[in-house]
Amino acid sequence: MGNNKLTHLKELEAEAIYVLREVAAQFERPVLLFSGGKDSIVLVHLSLKAFYPARIPFPLLHIDTGHNFPETLEFRDRLAETVNARLLVGSVQESIDKGRAVEEKGINASRNVLQTVTLLDAIEQNKFDAAIGGARRDEEKARAKERFFSHRDEFGQWDPKNQRPELWYMFNGKKRMGEHFRVFPISNWTEMDVWQYILAENIDLPSIYFTHERDVFYRDGVWLAAAPFMEMKPSEKIEFRRVRCRTVGDISCTGLTLSFADSVEDIIQEIAATRVTERGGRYDDKRSEAAMEDRKKEGYF
Amino acid sequence: MEQTFSSKAYLDMELLRFTTAGSVDDGKSTLIGRLLYDSKSIFEDQLDAVKRASIQKGSEHLNLALFTDGLRAEREQGITIDVAYRYFATPLRKFIIADTPGHIQYTRNMVTGASTANAAIVLIDARNGVIEQTHRHAFLASLLGIPHIIVCINKMDLMEYRQDIYQSILDEFQLFANQVFPEQDMRFIPISALHGDNVVKPSVNMPWYSGGTLLHHLETIPISQDHDLVHPRFPVQYVIRPESDEFHDYRGYAGRVAGGFFHPGDKVMVLPSRIETEITSVDTLTGPLTEAHPPMSVTLTLKDDVDLSRGDMIVGVDDIPAESCDISAMICWMNPKPMQLHGRYALKNTTRDVKCLIQDIDYVLNISTLEQITGATVVKMNDIARVQLRTTKPLFCDPYTTNRITGSIILIDEASNETVAAGMIV
Ligand SMILES: Nc1nc2c(ncn2[C@@H]2O[C@H](COP(=O)(O)OP(=O)(O)O)[C@@H](O)[C@H]2O)c(=O)[nH]1
């Protein structure tokens, strides 16, 4: 009998691949939600592994707020081409122009919440029945109870009190017309697991994850990137600093870290020493303690 | 930076999944908070939030239970209502905690959390000793085939850390365990979750105990034997057909190994056709492997062109599972709408989807007294029952005690699409 030890990362990888294959087997029109962030990049990598030597059997969908770092968009297009995947883009600007979504006003305005409208519209228009996301249970309290297969009603809503029990590894993807699932293959990964995996697998990332110089300003304990659409208070002033993104999302809510880390190894050392959670630097979660839970119920990622 | 973090060590860690069971107020949330806090798995912003909330609620000290506080509904009701997953790591292992509420009607949560666990922590309040709920929790953990049970006798500080108290609780529990699950691996630890005795740090208050802290046990319990390594089982999950020029005739069977070992050249049988063939390769993106074992996800190719699809199974040629439409199972009912005798449900077993009829309810179990109640025509939410099922197509299955993957089933109500039961094949 051979040695049957598997390291925890290998076991998490096997679990994620299993979940991705379940999606391909149980659903007719799955889609992978691609945010441009490291978690969704890891998902693409895992998808390659799950279906090798065939192509990834679902398209990538990016919900573009129109307020993205240009580096993210370039990276997105390049990745889709390299892995030979179909890329779809849902535009928040279009949702606003069509009157489907109303732009927030004021100092903390963000298009992050509006993504929900564009996402649900894209799901409905394309008749997607499963949307694969890179959310992890360690990210945030409300996510700790999320299932691998998370059922959404016909309005895209999540009902945390009425989730299907998830037993062993048998996922129940049965649904009625118009309903869909969100699927989270890396539910059990922590931020450190993701970074270690990126290191071990030598996965390419957008440059903004690494240290670079940029115009920034400080608000409520978080560094934010200065951009034409970012309204600033009179007391806030632009500074030129060495920073990197700890998560990558819409510019208006991506908190930056002052950092000199310019390799994955450096980032890992930095994270090991940091005592603040990844989402601690996300401006949108700070609005209220239960912010995430509310957005999730409405159909957010 | 204070110390250099070792990525090499990180890549060498094993994964342990455990679940916690205890009655309300036994100190489960405090214990998990203590494990996270003392193992330095709490981030500063989380700590600040809990400090603020502790002061707001008028606690004298840091309320460790708040670290595992989940959804808003629960915060408002002050109870935990669903399984929540927590993560922490030490240099030796990464841990996934399935935090399950202890309230009596939530048997279903405990079963959910227990289904994938390597170990269960059963909490006992030292002031109350072994109570009905303790039997319930230990029995469920054992029924769900959790290989290791750690009984923590908590709140020892309130009993002056007395050895005789601990010993009498241990004796009483042993008596019950010897009758019900004599084979079960069990360990006992006297702790104070509130003060931290024997959780991460050894207790100075209980010099009479030398059995190791809870964390020590979690870090050292042997887990590599928890899988079925004897019976080769490979449920086909998805068929990979690239239909590209390069892989024109490629046909691979993707899946996760559920039991035993698979190597290129192994003689195998495919079910249900019972055709014998041979494994050609064990494929992955990074190249072929010489061996696959649980719980690896791989793709197998076979020598002969056999017709295999999702729900079929590749097994060892001399070691095939039972193939039957008549299934006996212990089930835990999980839905407010009771199970009906002669009811019809969809059934999942590994990657196989069939339908089934409830032919017989042998008995409903009172899991506090273990009394078998016969003659039932319904099985209610949180009941455990032994039933006879008749499936529309045969299952390829092993007893749950042999293999937790091929031996487990779920039932789905086809009207609501809800998962209504978890079952263990006997
Ligand atoms: N004295 C003492 N109190 C404890 C201990 N563990 C928990 N408690 C208290 O018991 C109460 C219930 O604990 P909690 O963790 O919320 O219990 P749960 O309902 O099992 O999650 C709280 O007031 C805790 O502070 C302990 O070891 N010693």
Side-chain angles (χ1 to χ4, degrees):
Chain A
M1 197 183 290
N3 171 20
N4 70 309
K5 266 200 183 166
L6 220 54
T7 66
H8 86 286
L9 266 187
K10 282 281 168 206
E11 184 165 343
L12 290 175
E13 179 193 66
E15 178 180 277
I17 289 174
Y18 173 84
V19 176
L20 286 163
R21 288 168 170 173
E22 277 304 293
V23 175
Q26 291 198 35
F27 297 96
E28 271 162 40
R29 297 178 67 86
V31 66
L32 190 153
L33 301 179
F34 185 79
S35 69
K38 65 177 191 313
D39 299 320
S40 58
I41 293 168
V42 164
L43 277 186
V44 172
H45 185 79
L46 289 164
S47 301
L48 283 176
K49 291 203 169 198
F51 303 104
Y52 170 84
R55 276 177 69 184
I56 299 175
F58 35 74
L60 315 182
L61 171 65
H62 181 226
I63 301 300
D64 184 1
T65 58
H67 292 170
N68 274 297
F69 293 99
E71 295 90 335
T72 314
L73 300 184
E74 282 161 30
F75 185 90
R76 172 195 79 188
D77 295 344
R78 196 154 27 89
L79 182 69
E81 210 180 292
T82 320
V83 304
N84 190 17
R86 194 153 65 94
L87 175 69
L88 305 168
V89 178
S91 155
V92 173
Q93 186 62 51
E94 230 167 76
S95 303
I96 295 170
D97 295 346
K98 283 192 193 147
R100 299 274 306 137
V102 181
E103 183 111 66
E104 291 183 4
K105 293 202 169 48
I107 212 83
N108 286 330
S110 159
R111 287 184 166 181
N112 212 38
V113 180
L114 305 188
Q115 291 184 90
T116 305
V117 174
T118 314
L119 171 64
L120 292 178
D121 283 355
I123 287 175
E124 197 180 320
Q125 277 158 22
N126 293 284
K127 300 202 162 39
F128 291 131
D129 53 3
I132 304 161
R136 309 187 317 265
R137 288 171 180 154
D138 82 316
E139 274 179 84
E140 213 274 336
K141 277 183 194 171
R143 294 214 193 267
K145 310 199 164 184
E146 186 60 275
R147 304 293 197 253
F148 280 101
F149 270 38
S150 178
H151 178 254
R152 302 302 158 105
D153 66 16
E154 66 267 47
F155 305 108
Q157 295 182 352
W158 181 58
D159 179 2
K161 281 189 116 172
N162 194 22
Q163 298 195 78
R164 294 178 183 176
E166 212 159 68
L167 297 140
W168 295 285
Y169 288 99
M170 280 174 282
F171 302 133
N172 173 0
K174 291 189 197 285
K175 59 182 180 335
R176 295 201 183 90
M177 280 278 283
E179 298 178 338
H180 74 276
F181 275 79
R182 299 291 169 83
V183 181
F184 305 108
I186 58 168
S187 285
N188 278 331
W189 300 41
T190 60
E191 185 187 15
M192 183 56 94
D193 293 333
V194 172
W195 281 110
Q196 290 289 347
Y197 189 71
I198 288 168
L199 177 69
E201 297 280 311
N202 200 8
I203 297 171
D204 204 18
L205 290 183
S207 57
I208 50 175
Y209 273 110
F210 304 98
T211 187
H212 58 282
E213 286 182 316
R214 161 179 313 273
D215 283 339
V216 294
F217 64 97
Y218 198 63
R219 175 181 294 168
D220 300 343
V222 180
W223 289 95
L224 295 166
F229 50 82
M230 292 285 280
E231 223 177 294
M232 291 171 59
K233 297 178 194 163
S235 59
E236 291 166 347
K237 55 180 193 306
I238 292 182
E239 297 172 49
F240 193 56
R241 295 276 201 143
R242 283 208 83 83
V243 293
R244 64 173 205 86
C245 300
R246 198 161 166 197
T247 62
V248 168
D250 183 83
I251 293 184
S252 65
C253 60
T254 300
L256 306 168
T257 319
L258 299 178
S259 165
F260 290 94
D262 68 357
S263 67
V264 175
E265 268 289 8
D266 284 355
I267 292 174
I268 286 171
Q269 292 304 329
E270 195 179 284
I271 292 168
T274 331
R275 306 304 312 158
V276 179
T277 56
E278 187 178 19
R279 294 198 82 90
R282 279 193 64 133
Y283 202 74
D284 50 330
D285 283 343
K286 296 220 160 178
R287 292 185 185 184
S288 117
E289 246 221 77
M292 173 65 115
E293 192 178 321
D294 288 338
R295 273 181 289 134
K296 274 183 66 79
K297 279 188 188 163
E298 280 156 22
Y300 188 71
F301 296 95
Chain B
M1 280 172 233
E2 291 164 23
Q3 79 192 71
T4 317
F5 181 82
S6 163
S7 293
K8 193 172 169 300
Y10 194 89
L11 293 175
D12 219 23
M13 295 194 306
E14 278 183 306
L15 182 63
L16 179 90
R17 299 171 201 255
F18 68 93
T19 178
T20 52
S23 310
V24 177
D25 284 344
D26 279 353
K28 207 157 49 63
S29 315
T30 309
L31 176 63
I32 295 174
R34 170 62 68 187
L35 271 174
L36 298 179
Y37 184 70
D38 281 1
S39 65
K40 306 207 167 31
S41 311
I42 307 276
F43 290 101
E44 252 166 40
D45 50 333
Q46 294 172 320
L47 189 59
D48 286 346
V50 166
K51 274 184 187 154
R52 256 183 282 123
S54 301
I55 293 167
Q56 215 170 48
K57 290 195 176 159
S59 282
E60 293 166 35
H61 33 232
L62 189 64
N63 187 343
L64 293 169
L66 293 178
F67 286 123
T68 60
D69 183 35
L71 300 176
R72 181 195 295 186
E74 292 158 60
R75 279 204 292 288
E76 282 161 3
Q77 294 166 14
I79 50 158
T80 329
I81 51 172
D82 203 337
V83 187
Y85 295 87
R86 326 274 171 201
Y87 304 84
F88 74 103
T90 68
L92 294 178
R93 275 184 182 167
K94 165 169 170 153
F95 299 96
I96 302 181
I97 313 175
D99 179 9
T100 63
H103 208 277
I104 191 150
Q105 67 257 44
Y106 294 116
T107 299
R108 74 172 225 173
N109 291 329
M110 181 167 169
V111 169
T112 304
S115 69
T116 52
N118 306 93
I121 296 178
V122 174
L123 267 184
I124 296 178
D125 185 330
R127 294 173 304 177
N128 307 332
V130 176
I131 56 171
E132 208 179 283
Q133 289 259 22
T134 316
H135 290 169
R136 220 178 153 84
H137 293 144
F139 174 74
L140 282 176
S142 178
L143 182 70
L144 267 290
I146 300 183
H148 316 280
I149 296 181
I150 306 173
V151 181
C152 286
I153 292 135
N154 188 30
K155 306 197 185 182
M156 288 299 292
D157 55 302
L158 297 179
M159 303 307 282
E160 298 147 13
Y161 297 107
R162 276 164 52 193
Q163 182 172 15
D164 58 328
I165 302 272
Y166 167 73
Q167 194 59 47
S168 68
I169 294 173
L170 190 157
D171 291 343
E172 192 182 342
F173 191 94
Q174 277 287 16
L175 205 66
F176 165 76
N178 287 343
Q179 286 167 8
V180 185
F181 37 78
E183 307 288 314
Q184 180 73 45
D185 173 37
M186 273 190 310
R187 296 129 198 262
F188 297 87
I189 312 173
I191 65 166
S192 166
L194 189 65
H195 300 296
D197 297 79
N198 288 336
V199 179
V200 170
K201 299 171 195 151
S203 171
V204 290
N205 298 308
M206 292 178 275
W208 46 264
Y209 171 81
S210 57
T213 63
L214 172 60
L215 185 66
H216 173 75
H217 284 272
L218 292 173
E219 284 184 326
T220 54
I221 285 174
I223 49 179
S224 57
Q225 303 303 311
D226 289 356
H227 296 284
D228 169 12
L229 301 174
V230 179
H231 311 284
R233 301 285 182 264
F234 189 85
V236 175
Q237 195 184 0
Y238 186 78
V239 180
I240 294 184
R241 303 213 56 176
E243 293 173 11
S244 61
D245 292 342
E246 190 186 349
F247 295 96
H248 192 77
D249 295 319
Y250 187 94
R251 201 180 164 88
Y253 302 101
R256 205 171 179 192
V257 182
F261 290 80
F262 289 88
H263 313 90
D266 282 358
K267 297 254 180 290
V268 290
M269 178 181 279
V270 301
L271 298 175
S273 66
R274 291 188 171 251
I275 293 172
E276 288 183 26
T277 178
E278 197 179 299
I279 295 178
T280 314
S281 62
V282 178
D283 288 345
T284 70
L285 173 73
T286 43
L289 304 178
T290 52
E291 181 174 274
H293 56 75
M296 290 166 72
S297 284
V298 296
T299 300
L300 302 182
T301 61
L302 301 177
K303 192 166 159 208
D304 301 293
D305 199 8
V306 288
D307 185 29
L308 262 183
S309 51
R310 178 176 166 85
D312 296 346
M313 198 183 281
I314 301 172
V315 302
V317 77
D318 308 315
D319 183 355
I320 63 174
E323 184 178 346
S324 174
C325 290
D326 291 301
I327 307 292
S328 303
M330 294 294 290
I331 60 156
C332 171
W333 196 254
M334 308 192 132
N335 200 267
K337 198 173 131 196
M339 183 189 93
Q340 303 292 335
L341 180 60
H342 305 313
R344 283 160 209 276
Y345 300 92
L347 181 154
K348 272 183 187 284
N349 168 235
T350 67
T351 56
R352 199 163 170 81
D353 281 290
V354 301
K355 293 188 199 317
C356 76
L357 170 77
I358 312 289
Q359 272 208 309
D360 239 320
I361 301 173
D362 298 339
Y363 58 82
V364 174
L365 195 72
N366 178 328
I367 56 173
S368 300
T369 60
L370 300 181
E371 188 194 345
Q372 301 176 357
I373 302 150
T374 52
T377 53
V378 293
V379 177
K380 295 195 289 292
M381 172 117 126
N382 294 308
D383 279 350
I384 305 279
R386 185 176 151 136
V387 298
Q388 301 297 331
L389 308 172
R390 171 95 195 164
T391 58
T392 46
K393 284 190 293 180
L395 301 185
F396 318 122
C397 56
D398 298 289
Y400 185 77
T401 48
T402 304
N403 189 312
R404 287 170 86 185
I405 301 170
T406 56
S408 52
I409 56 172
I410 60 170
L411 301 185
I412 296 165
D413 181 325
E414 288 191 288
S416 68
N417 287 332
E418 285 177 286
T419 303
V420 291
M424 286 132 295
I425 294 171
V426 284

mmCIF file of all heavy atoms in Angstrom, chain B residues 2-20:
data_model
loop_
_atom_site.group_PDB
_atom_site.id
_atom_site.type_symbol
_atom_site.label_atom_id
_atom_site.label_comp_id
_atom_site.label_asym_id
_atom_site.label_seq_id
_atom_site.Cartn_x
_atom_site.Cartn_y
_atom_site.Cartn_z
ATOM 1 N N GLU B 2 8.465 40.565 12.502
ATOM 2 C CA GLU B 2 8.971 39.886 13.690
ATOM 3 C C GLU B 2 9.665 38.573 13.349
ATOM 4 O O GLU B 2 10.795 38.324 13.710
ATOM 5 C CB GLU B 2 7.829 39.566 14.659
ATOM 6 C CG GLU B 2 7.246 40.790 15.304
ATOM 7 C CD GLU B 2 5.910 40.490 15.936
ATOM 8 O OE1 GLU B 2 5.661 39.315 16.250
ATOM 9 O OE2 GLU B 2 5.126 41.434 16.106
ATOM 10 N N GLN B 3 8.949 37.724 12.654
ATOM 11 C CA GLN B 3 9.549 36.443 12.353
ATOM 12 C C GLN B 3 9.242 36.092 10.917
ATOM 13 O O GLN B 3 8.264 36.544 10.357
ATOM 14 C CB GLN B 3 9.038 35.367 13.295
ATOM 15 C CG GLN B 3 7.670 34.856 12.924
ATOM 16 C CD GLN B 3 7.107 34.019 14.054
ATOM 17 O OE1 GLN B 3 6.751 34.519 15.100
ATOM 18 N NE2 GLN B 3 7.024 32.732 13.821
ATOM 19 N N THR B 4 10.097 35.286 10.344
ATOM 20 C CA THR B 4 9.883 34.936 8.957
ATOM 21 C C THR B 4 8.963 33.738 8.887
ATOM 22 O O THR B 4 9.159 32.733 9.544
ATOM 23 C CB THR B 4 11.222 34.649 8.267
ATOM 24 O OG1 THR B 4 12.124 35.652 8.709
ATOM 25 C CG2 THR B 4 11.089 34.721 6.785
ATOM 26 N N PHE B 5 7.956 33.906 8.098
ATOM 27 C CA PHE B 5 6.950 32.869 7.947
ATOM 28 C C PHE B 5 7.475 31.835 6.969
ATOM 29 O O PHE B 5 8.010 32.183 5.929
ATOM 30 C CB PHE B 5 5.687 33.540 7.418
ATOM 31 C CG PHE B 5 4.555 32.608 7.227
ATOM 32 C CD1 PHE B 5 3.763 32.252 8.308
ATOM 33 C CD2 PHE B 5 4.258 32.106 5.975
ATOM 34 C CE1 PHE B 5 2.695 31.403 8.137
ATOM 35 C CE2 PHE B 5 3.196 31.255 5.799
ATOM 36 C CZ PHE B 5 2.411 30.905 6.885
ATOM 37 N N SER B 6 7.331 30.572 7.303
ATOM 38 C CA SER B 6 7.890 29.551 6.431
ATOM 39 C C SER B 6 6.851 28.970 5.482
ATOM 40 O O SER B 6 5.947 28.255 5.894
ATOM 41 C CB SER B 6 8.503 28.429 7.259
ATOM 42 O OG SER B 6 8.692 27.297 6.447
ATOM 43 N N SER B 7 6.986 29.298 4.207
ATOM 44 C CA SER B 7 6.053 28.762 3.225
ATOM 45 C C SER B 7 6.249 27.268 3.047
ATOM 46 O O SER B 7 5.318 26.532 2.752
ATOM 47 C CB SER B 7 6.235 29.449 1.875
ATOM 48 O OG SER B 7 5.847 30.786 1.968
ATOM 49 N N LYS B 8 7.467 26.825 3.262
ATOM 50 C CA LYS B 8 7.755 25.406 3.080
ATOM 51 C C LYS B 8 6.968 24.597 4.110
ATOM 52 O O LYS B 8 6.334 23.600 3.790
ATOM 53 C CB LYS B 8 9.250 25.167 3.240
ATOM 54 C CG LYS B 8 9.656 23.795 2.770
ATOM 55 C CD LYS B 8 11.173 23.641 2.755
ATOM 56 C CE LYS B 8 11.545 22.183 2.532
ATOM 57 N NZ LYS B 8 11.025 21.312 3.583
ATOM 58 N N ALA B 9 6.994 25.056 5.362
ATOM 59 C CA ALA B 9 6.248 24.362 6.409
ATOM 60 C C ALA B 9 4.759 24.416 6.109
ATOM 61 O O ALA B 9 4.030 23.451 6.299
ATOM 62 C CB ALA B 9 6.544 25.000 7.762
ATOM 63 N N TYR B 10 4.316 25.560 5.612
ATOM 64 C CA TYR B 10 2.886 25.737 5.329
ATOM 65 C C TYR B 10 2.419 24.722 4.288
ATOM 66 O O TYR B 10 1.325 24.181 4.368
ATOM 67 C CB TYR B 10 2.644 27.154 4.820
ATOM 68 C CG TYR B 10 1.188 27.542 4.816
ATOM 69 C CD1 TYR B 10 0.610 28.125 5.940
ATOM 70 C CD2 TYR B 10 0.390 27.317 3.696
ATOM 71 C CE1 TYR B 10 -0.723 28.474 5.947
ATOM 72 C CE2 TYR B 10 -0.944 27.670 3.693
ATOM 73 C CZ TYR B 10 -1.495 28.253 4.818
ATOM 74 O OH TYR B 10 -2.823 28.594 4.820
ATOM 75 N N LEU B 11 3.270 24.481 3.335
ATOM 76 C CA LEU B 11 2.887 23.566 2.257
ATOM 77 C C LEU B 11 2.915 22.114 2.707
ATOM 78 O O LEU B 11 2.490 21.226 1.996
ATOM 79 C CB LEU B 11 3.824 23.765 1.061
ATOM 80 C CG LEU B 11 3.663 25.119 0.379
ATOM 81 C CD1 LEU B 11 4.707 25.293 -0.713
ATOM 82 C CD2 LEU B 11 2.267 25.280 -0.204
ATOM 83 N N ASP B 12 3.396 21.883 3.911
ATOM 84 C CA ASP B 12 3.534 20.530 4.409
ATOM 85 C C ASP B 12 2.453 20.164 5.438
ATOM 86 O O ASP B 12 2.495 19.109 6.033
ATOM 87 C CB ASP B 12 4.922 20.398 5.043
ATOM 88 C CG ASP B 12 5.525 19.048 4.732
ATOM 89 O OD1 ASP B 12 5.109 18.458 3.733
ATOM 90 O OD2 ASP B 12 6.376 18.605 5.517
ATOM 91 N N MET B 13 1.499 21.075 5.659
ATOM 92 C CA MET B 13 0.506 20.827 6.700
ATOM 93 C C MET B 13 -0.575 19.863 6.235
ATOM 94 O O MET B 13 -0.894 19.785 5.066
ATOM 95 C CB MET B 13 -0.182 22.139 7.078
ATOM 96 C CG MET B 13 0.719 23.140 7.717
ATOM 97 S SD MET B 13 -0.218 24.458 8.498
ATOM 98 C CE MET B 13 -1.254 25.040 7.203
ATOM 99 N N GLU B 14 -1.163 19.180 7.220
ATOM 100 C CA GLU B 14 -2.328 18.340 6.931
ATOM 101 C C GLU B 14 -3.594 19.108 7.293
ATOM 102 O O GLU B 14 -3.546 20.104 8.007
ATOM 103 C CB GLU B 14 -2.281 17.085 7.803
ATOM 104 C CG GLU B 14 -1.397 15.989 7.283
ATOM 105 C CD GLU B 14 -1.492 14.787 8.203
ATOM 106 O OE1 GLU B 14 -1.278 14.950 9.423
ATOM 107 O OE2 GLU B 14 -1.794 13.705 7.722
ATOM 108 N N LEU B 15 -4.716 18.568 6.841
ATOM 109 C CA LEU B 15 -6.001 19.217 7.103
ATOM 110 C C LEU B 15 -6.827 18.353 8.046
ATOM 111 O O LEU B 15 -7.003 17.159 7.811
ATOM 112 C CB LEU B 15 -6.725 19.375 5.762
ATOM 113 C CG LEU B 15 -8.081 20.064 5.762
ATOM 114 C CD1 LEU B 15 -7.950 21.504 6.225
ATOM 115 C CD2 LEU B 15 -8.666 20.045 4.346
ATOM 116 N N LEU B 16 -7.313 18.946 9.123
ATOM 117 C CA LEU B 16 -8.217 18.225 10.032
ATOM 118 C C LEU B 16 -9.546 18.968 10.092
ATOM 119 O O LEU B 16 -9.585 20.167 10.347
ATOM 120 C CB LEU B 16 -7.627 18.140 11.443
ATOM 121 C CG LEU B 16 -8.545 17.428 12.444
ATOM 122 C CD1 LEU B 16 -8.270 15.929 12.465
ATOM 123 C CD2 LEU B 16 -8.421 17.984 13.849
ATOM 124 N N ARG B 17 -10.620 18.229 9.840
ATOM 125 C CA ARG B 17 -11.950 18.827 9.951
ATOM 126 C C ARG B 17 -12.576 18.322 11.243
ATOM 127 O O ARG B 17 -12.608 17.115 11.467
ATOM 128 C CB ARG B 17 -12.830 18.386 8.773
ATOM 129 C CG ARG B 17 -12.275 18.813 7.426
ATOM 130 C CD ARG B 17 -13.079 18.154 6.301
ATOM 131 N NE ARG B 17 -12.306 18.137 5.080
ATOM 132 C CZ ARG B 17 -12.526 18.956 4.038
ATOM 133 N NH1 ARG B 17 -13.498 19.827 4.061
ATOM 134 N NH2 ARG B 17 -11.766 18.889 2.969
ATOM 135 N N PHE B 18 -13.047 19.233 12.075
ATOM 136 C CA PHE B 18 -13.735 18.757 13.273
ATOM 137 C C PHE B 18 -15.008 19.528 13.529
ATOM 138 O O PHE B 18 -15.236 20.600 12.995
ATOM 139 C CB PHE B 18 -12.821 18.725 14.497
ATOM 140 C CG PHE B 18 -12.378 20.067 15.032
ATOM 141 C CD1 PHE B 18 -13.096 20.696 16.048
ATOM 142 C CD2 PHE B 18 -11.223 20.678 14.568
ATOM 143 C CE1 PHE B 18 -12.677 21.917 16.575
ATOM 144 C CE2 PHE B 18 -10.796 21.897 15.088
ATOM 145 C CZ PHE B 18 -11.529 22.521 16.082
ATOM 146 N N THR B 19 -15.857 18.904 14.348
ATOM 147 C CA THR B 19 -17.133 19.501 14.641
ATOM 148 C C THR B 19 -17.263 19.614 16.156
ATOM 149 O O THR B 19 -16.554 18.940 16.891
ATOM 150 C CB THR B 19 -18.266 18.660 14.028
ATOM 151 O OG1 THR B 19 -19.511 19.247 14.362
ATOM 152 C CG2 THR B 19 -18.256 17.238 14.536
ATOM 153 N N THR B 20 -18.128 20.510 16.603
ATOM 154 C CA THR B 20 -18.299 20.686 18.039
ATOM 155 C C THR B 20 -19.743 20.412 18.399
ATOM 156 O O THR B 20 -20.645 20.785 17.672
ATOM 157 C CB THR B 20 -17.977 22.129 18.442
ATOM 158 O OG1 THR B 20 -18.730 23.008 17.610
ATOM 159 C CG2 THR B 20 -16.510 22.422 18.268
#
